[in-house]
Amino acid sequence: TMNPQSPAALAGIKGGEQVEAVAGKPLNQVPMEKRHEFVKNQIAASPGKPVLFKLKLENGQVIDKTITPSAEG
């Protein structure tokens, strides 16, 4: 179950969707213990501006999803 307050949930990513990259940066290049903070910072750095996510769906398909964080913070 996804934490509803996690950066991914707050960005509109659904349970079962795995974040592969944020803003063009593959998460496999970010140390595991820093990934949560990295995603959160990418979202926070772009209030009101679209952020491109690369997601892997439960069926293995990889898609691009543009999410615009709230400008209100």
Side-chain angles (χ1 to χ4, degrees):
T1 303
M2 183 182 291
N3 177 343
Q5 296 303 311
S6 72
L10 294 173
I13 296 170
K14 299 176 185 134
E17 296 177 342
Q18 180 179 338
V19 178
E20 297 284 307
V22 180
K25 176 137 182 151
L27 284 189
N28 65 5
Q29 295 180 1
V30 178
M32 182 67 79
E33 66 276 5
K34 303 238 182 216
R35 290 181 185 177
H36 179 87
E37 181 180 351
F38 173 78
V39 173
K40 184 177 176 180
N41 289 342
Q42 291 298 310
I43 293 167
S46 300
K49 299 176 187 171
V51 179
L52 181 64
F53 284 76
K54 187 172 289 294
L55 305 174
K56 182 184 264 186
L57 306 180
E58 287 183 287
N59 65 8
Q61 179 183 6
V62 177
I63 64 166
D64 288 334
K65 184 173 187 177
T66 301
I67 298 167
T68 303
S70 170
E72 298 172 10

